[in-house]
Amino acid sequence: MINIAKPQLSEEEVRAVTDVLLSGKLAQGEKVAEFEKAFAAFTGARHAVAVGNGTQALHAALLASGVQTSDDVITTPFSFISSATTIVHCGGRPVFTDIDPRTFNINVNAIEELITPRTKAIMPVHLFGLPADLDELRKICDENGLALIQDSCQAHGASINGKPIATYGDVSTFSFYPTKNMTTGEGGAVVTDDDAIAEHVRLLRHQGQKSRYEYAHVGYNYRMTEMAAAIGTLQLRKLPEWNNKRINNAKFFDEALAGNDKITTPLVPEGYGHVYHQYTIRVQNRDEVGKQMAENGVGTGIYYPRGLHQLGPLAGYCDRSMPNTEKAANEVLSLPVHPALTDEELATVVEVTKKAVE
Ligand SMILES: *Cc1c(COP(=O)(O)O)cnc(C)c1O
């Protein structure tokens, strides 16, 4: 079976975790500080604050950006659930706007009409590793005094015209879940150039504690472990090579599937640095195609089978339909694109995909 994801872990990570365990220092300490420094450098931002997972990163980033009760955050309905539930955790309200069907990302032309005095921030999601239109989003946020909170949980290393996404501000969040482009087991990071946001997130991560038993906020335990950070530092060194392999795999699929009128391959706007967390095509009879591919040894993924506005706990936040999202949710199929695929496996994925859509 060719799986949709395969975490890349070697003896190196095993040794690093063993060393941490034997050191007896397991909770946030030197290894976390070392990982944060390296991750900040990689993203091009001044600060990276490591936390326990991507959902915690989003929650802390929203709080540190000032999102609170009765605030609106404009976001995409085509994402993982915690992009929106973390807005609700702050007491805020996710305001969904439909996607651009070509990129699967938030349609920047439909945002301004939704801005009201309640609007506090815009949260784009760089879905599948393709940046949202950050030039336009930055402009809208600046013109309207809104925070730009990026869900970059699928986009480690993505860029626009060579400019890393995190440098568009105000704050960017990452996940290191096992299926992401790099992993720490569970893990996350908040990345920003803003000293005040970074400090606020650091406090929130550790019970709001400013100095021993002096508290500045109602905080959380959102700390990363030393084991996770030790894995992260090693993974980060290998990430550029892995991303290149994903990009080359995607290029292979683009060429091999081109001209097949039953398959729509991913569109990448000129200058956009897609890092292919997922290689997602559109097909008709998607469920049948996926089932047949599994029978022929190729695992696929459906990200996502429903829009966030169609999910029970979030449906109350949206009374409009989102036709582009709903159509995409019925048609998307992600193919294995991870860096461990061999040339032979890549050829098999193409062959099995073409056969399944016939
Ligand atoms: C993975 C992911 C998250 C959540 O990250 P966790 O580490 O699983 O909490 C949030 N948003 C998006 C878009 C993701 O892909």
Side-chain angles (χ1 to χ4, degrees):
M1 190 75 186
I2 303 174
N3 290 322
I4 180 75
K6 189 164 190 282
Q8 305 295 295
L9 294 157
S10 66
E11 279 299 318
E12 210 181 12
E13 280 87 350
V14 175
R15 272 197 306 275
V17 171
T18 308
D19 288 348
V20 170
L21 290 173
L22 294 172
S23 79
K25 293 179 193 153
L26 312 187
Q28 187 191 307
E30 276 170 31
K31 296 286 177 194
V32 170
E34 184 188 349
F35 175 56
E36 288 178 335
K37 205 167 159 223
F39 198 70
F42 172 76
T43 56
R46 282 163 59 93
H47 307 279
V49 184
V51 293
N53 55 57
T55 303
Q56 293 174 359
L58 281 165
H59 185 211
L62 284 156
L63 288 172
S65 302
V67 174
Q68 52 183 327
T69 308
S70 303
D71 286 342
D72 283 354
V73 179
I74 298 172
T75 191
T76 169
F78 201 42
S79 185
F80 182 63
I81 190 165
S82 72
S83 307
T85 50
T86 47
I87 298 168
V88 178
H89 293 159
C90 299
R93 187 173 69 160
V95 174
F96 295 116
T97 183
D98 208 358
I99 57 167
D100 179 334
R102 296 165 307 168
T103 61
F104 300 117
N105 280 328
I106 194 166
N107 175 5
V108 293
N109 298 319
I111 290 177
E112 276 174 305
E113 66 204 52
L114 296 171
I115 297 174
T116 72
R118 287 174 59 143
T119 310
K120 183 83 190 181
I122 301 176
M123 184 203 282
V125 178
H126 308 303
L127 201 71
F128 306 140
L130 176 70
D133 184 347
L134 284 169
D135 287 305
E136 192 57 32
L137 288 163
R138 183 72 266 167
K139 207 169 114 219
I140 296 169
C141 286
D142 289 345
E143 282 170 7
N144 294 279
L146 306 176
L148 178 57
I149 302 168
Q150 305 179 43
D151 181 342
S152 311
C153 287
Q154 303 188 355
H156 321 62
S159 60
I160 300 175
N161 294 318
K163 189 170 149 61
I165 49 173
T167 60
Y168 283 84
D170 293 307
V171 59
S172 194
T173 63
F174 293 85
S175 163
F176 308 119
Y177 186 74
T179 57
K180 309 285 160 130
N181 290 29
M182 63 168 281
T183 186
T184 61
E186 296 270 11
V190 177
V191 167
T192 182
D193 277 333
D194 186 313
D195 298 347
I197 291 178
E199 183 54 20
H200 197 157
V201 172
R202 281 192 197 103
L203 291 172
L204 290 173
R205 164 175 71 174
H206 187 53
Q207 309 294 0
Q209 183 173 275
K210 219 172 161 77
S211 57
R212 206 162 165 77
Y213 298 114
E214 295 288 337
Y215 300 94
H217 303 281
V218 173
Y220 303 85
N221 174 356
Y222 279 180
R223 294 183 301 266
M224 178 181 267
T225 68
E226 289 284 270
M227 292 77 81
I231 298 171
T233 299
L234 294 172
Q235 292 265 306
L236 186 57
R237 284 182 203 148
K238 297 178 267 193
L239 178 63
E241 185 191 318
W242 290 335
N243 278 347
N244 281 338
K245 182 71 163 65
R246 285 177 184 271
I247 291 162
N248 286 333
N249 292 348
K251 191 159 167 255
F252 178 81
F253 292 151
D254 282 345
E255 284 164 11
L257 300 174
N260 187 312
D261 62 8
K262 300 220 167 62
I263 298 172
T264 307
T265 55
L267 175 118
V268 184
E270 184 71 32
Y272 277 52
H274 195 327
V275 291
Y276 294 99
H277 170 59
Q278 300 294 348
Y279 184 91
T280 303
I281 60 172
R282 284 183 189 254
V283 291
Q284 299 303 312
N285 305 320
R286 187 265 322 278
D287 292 347
E288 266 312 304
V289 170
K291 191 163 156 263
Q292 197 187 319
M293 289 181 67
E295 283 163 10
N296 288 296
V298 175
T300 55
I302 299 170
Y303 311 109
Y304 293 90
R306 320 201 60 184
L308 298 181
H309 65 295
Q310 299 174 292
L311 302 179
L314 294 171
Y317 292 96
C318 189
D319 54 12
R320 290 163 298 139
S321 71
M322 300 276 142
N324 294 338
T325 298
E326 288 155 32
K327 186 163 191 288
N330 287 327
E331 295 180 353
V332 287
L333 187 69
S334 297
L335 309 181
V337 71
H338 61 75
L341 293 169
T342 64
D343 289 351
E344 198 188 334
E345 286 171 332
L346 287 167
T348 303
V349 172
V350 167
E351 194 187 314
V352 168
T353 308
K354 281 182 168 169
K355 189 158 163 270
V357 296
E358 261 169 28

